[in-house]
Amino acid sequence: MMAARLTVQDRGYSGLSFRELAKDVGIKSASIHYYFASKGELGGALANRYTSDFAEYLDSLLTDGLDPQTCLARYTDVFGNTLRNDNRMCLAGIMAAEHKELPEEVRSEVVKFGEMNEDWIARVLAKTGIVDTEDAARRARAIFAAIEGAQLVGRSRGDASVYDDIVASYRESRLIP
């Protein structure tokens, strides 16, 4: 699963192949087919696990009692660190770019990732007292879209510092508290 995740974060869903994945991990592709009958099943499982792991991390920030600004800083750091890992993208973000080519089981998991992020950001924004509950959801969607977009721009330039500069400008403009 880790090798498949890294492949998708680097090459996208279309770059994921059972044969290449099997070669990367030193097994036969039939062994992967034993667990995942189709590429769609594998992609759905990857996106589901990615969402689950990321939700667990984000929830731990709140459980640890971090203030909202620190939570949001850690949130943006994850996307920057992903870029710093061989110019990789958020798994759901790179899959979303291939939306029309994705099987339904993958597409629905990608949507769940976005919704989970927006819900978490809205909860954090509500804790700041800067926005009311109604406006928090709208602003959370804007922040999520802005961060995914900043990561894409940084990746396209092969330079994580571009991402960092964009996120700094979001903070200066107060899009991100």
Side-chain angles (χ1 to χ4, degrees), residues 11-170:
R11 296 185 218 139
Y13 179 79
S14 62
L16 181 63
S17 118
F18 278 32
R19 184 177 312 148
E20 289 300 313
L21 182 58
K23 190 168 75 172
D24 289 347
V25 296
I27 61 174
K28 295 182 187 277
S29 64
S31 298
I32 299 171
H33 281 285
Y34 177 80
Y35 294 100
F36 302 102
S38 69
K39 182 177 171 179
E41 280 185 30
L42 174 58
L46 279 173
N48 180 280
R49 179 178 286 180
Y50 190 75
T51 300
S52 176
D53 290 349
F54 199 49
E56 187 177 308
Y57 170 73
L58 294 177
D59 287 341
S60 76
L61 298 176
L62 296 174
T63 303
D64 290 348
L66 299 176
D67 63 90
Q69 285 77 13
T70 302
C71 286
L72 290 170
R74 299 258 176 99
Y75 177 80
T76 61
D77 287 349
V78 170
F79 290 85
N81 291 336
T82 301
L83 275 176
R84 283 182 256 293
N85 183 11
D86 292 329
N87 203 34
R88 287 191 167 84
M89 284 283 299
C90 162
L91 180 96
I94 202 163
M95 285 179 157
E98 299 175 281
H99 178 80
K100 287 186 177 186
E101 289 78 33
L102 297 177
E104 179 53 38
E105 63 262 39
V106 180
R107 195 178 309 150
S108 66
E109 290 298 331
V110 169
V111 169
K112 287 177 189 175
F113 179 82
E115 291 170 344
M116 179 278 298
N117 276 263
E118 292 169 22
D119 290 345
W120 183 86
I121 294 167
R123 287 189 322 211
V124 173
L125 288 174
K127 289 178 182 275
T128 67
I130 295 171
V131 296
D132 60 30
T133 306
E134 290 178 21
D135 194 36
R138 251 182 94 222
R139 185 140 169 212
R141 180 168 288 156
I143 290 171
F144 176 65
I147 295 302
E148 287 279 12
Q151 190 184 52
L152 184 61
V153 172
R155 177 183 165 97
S156 73
R157 308 238 174 115
D159 186 353
S161 71
V162 171
Y163 169 84
D164 296 333
D165 288 342
I166 294 169
V167 171
S169 74
Y170 292 160

